[in-house]
Amino acid sequence: MNQLISAIKVKNLSFYYNTQKIFQNVSMDIYQGKVTAIIGPSGCGKSTFVKCLNRMIELEGKVRVEGGVEFFNQNIYERRVNLTRLRRQVSIVLPKPNLFPMSVYDNVAYGVKILGWHPKAELDRIVESAIKDADLWEEVKNKLHKSALDLSGGQQQRLCIARALAVKPQVILMDEPCFALDPIARIKVEGLIQRLRLRSELTMVIISHNLQQVQRLSDFTALFYTNENRIGEMIEFGTTNKIFTNPLDSRTRDYISYHLN
Ligand code: ADP
């Protein structure tokens, strides 16, 4: 087996909204080039945790983080960290498509433009390549300058993934990327994630409640749970195969058998 390299190392991470503790003492490695699934009941802190990995969580108000998160050995919670750069390297796709009220082209070009000026032909190339990578080109190539909000829900979600890919992230965080989609659109997004998975340089983290999907898509799985004080904890982490076939914790076994059947 090739040696695993940590793209992100989470060290004893705890999180508070105001004074309310949401999750505590999470330590785990997110391995480069692998897909890590985060599963667990609603409200146990999965979304909050994932948004801590690129500091998006700070956009949600008065929050406090204890412990650390290292992205390729750099502590992302250090003061001098450039947040625009961090969020380019670790980008996020949310459960519901959150496109800007702009054209298909401008949505994808937006983040690229923030990073610096590109000649028009170069920008065109980046936009086309990202939309192709998101398996959307054939569907939108004649609508590039039409409003992105006129696309179907599934197309909008793949455009969000194209937007995330356009800035060449090393990690993509996906918070229930199929949440709002009908079954056909869900299959397309899942197929897209399968193809992105073949890229050895891209690391993905996916929150999902669909355990069949987790089995199909992920290499590693972390199970979060709320403890008796209603605080989230990561109770088990391992290869997806191990978590699904031979978990150590009885809560993992119960959660999986309940949700797989
Ligand atoms: P999950 O993704 O596992 O469903 P979340 O991370 O969304 O869990 O939420 C974890 C807990 O944090 C929940 O109890 C939720 O009510 C609380 N929470 C989420 N967002 C906020 C917020 N902006 N302010 C205060 N509490 C929040």
Side-chain angles (χ1 to χ4, degrees):
M1 189 163 165
N2 292 339
Q3 208 183 345
L4 294 168
I5 296 169
S6 296
I8 296 179
K9 216 175 219 320
V10 180
K11 294 182 165 175
N12 213 19
L13 193 70
S14 300
F15 177 86
Y16 302 78
Y17 275 117
N18 296 305
T19 52
Q20 190 194 353
K21 197 186 241 189
I22 302 297
F23 65 78
Q24 64 184 10
N25 304 334
V26 177
S27 295
M28 67 186 278
D29 287 284
I30 291 166
Y31 295 115
Q32 185 180 29
K34 303 292 178 195
V35 180
T36 299
I38 313 280
I39 62 173
S42 293
C44 63
K46 302 180 297 298
S47 289
T48 307
F49 170 75
V50 159
K51 286 185 199 145
C52 289
L53 303 181
N54 71 352
R55 293 183 56 179
M56 277 275 290
I57 199 67
E58 288 165 36
L59 304 176
E60 304 213 359
K62 196 165 177 298
V63 302
R64 186 157 67 85
V65 167
E66 288 170 354
V69 177
E70 289 179 2
F71 174 63
F72 289 107
N73 299 320
Q74 193 200 355
N75 179 1
I76 67 166
Y77 281 94
E78 268 177 18
R79 271 252 198 90
R80 64 191 165 87
V81 164
N82 177 331
L83 288 182
T84 307
R85 185 151 168 254
L86 173 67
R87 290 174 191 152
R88 176 185 78 75
Q89 292 167 320
V90 184
S91 68
I92 191 160
V93 174
L94 298 171
K96 291 192 189 149
N98 61 339
L99 294 167
F100 308 120
M102 301 173 179
S103 69
V104 169
Y105 181 101
D106 286 338
N107 264 282
V108 181
Y110 184 86
V112 183
K113 285 182 182 166
I114 289 178
L115 295 176
W117 185 83
H118 295 76
K120 171 90 172 62
E122 170 71 359
L123 197 57
D124 288 353
R125 196 195 57 72
I126 295 171
V127 168
E128 179 172 336
S129 160
I131 297 176
K132 282 183 172 161
D133 286 348
D135 291 345
L136 191 59
W137 182 250
E138 287 307 315
E139 292 162 69
V140 302
K141 66 183 181 194
N142 298 321
K143 300 182 187 166
L144 291 179
H145 299 289
K146 299 257 165 62
S147 172
L149 302 182
D150 290 339
L151 299 178
S152 72
Q155 289 171 331
Q156 289 196 24
Q157 192 62 318
R158 278 180 284 142
L159 194 63
C160 289
I161 295 175
R163 183 176 62 183
L165 290 169
V167 295
K168 302 258 175 292
Q170 280 146 289
V171 179
I172 301 191
L173 311 170
M174 297 199 186
D175 185 352
E176 295 198 64
C178 301
F179 172 79
L181 305 182
D182 62 61
I184 306 255
R186 204 174 290 170
I187 288 167
K188 283 198 174 168
V189 169
E190 197 179 305
L192 165 58
I193 296 169
Q194 286 286 21
R195 273 185 290 289
L196 294 175
R197 192 182 174 193
L198 301 175
R199 295 184 174 189
S200 55
E201 77 284 2
L202 187 65
T203 304
M204 289 187 277
V205 177
I206 298 187
I207 298 177
S208 178
H209 283 106
N210 178 337
L211 296 193
Q212 280 94 356
Q213 182 182 66
V214 167
Q215 283 184 298
R216 288 192 292 271
L217 289 182
S218 70
D219 303 291
F220 293 90
T221 297
L223 180 75
F224 279 56
Y225 230 75
T226 33
N227 68 15
E228 60 285 2
N229 299 318
R230 308 294 309 152
I231 297 170
E233 293 178 336
M234 191 196 73
I235 59 166
E236 192 157 357
F237 172 81
T239 63
T240 297
N241 186 37
K242 171 96 168 68
I243 295 287
F244 278 76
T245 58
N246 192 15
L248 296 175
D249 193 301
S250 60
R251 290 167 295 179
T252 312
R253 198 168 307 126
D254 292 347
Y255 181 81
I256 286 176
S257 63
Y258 184 78
H259 286 87
L260 263 187
N261 298 320

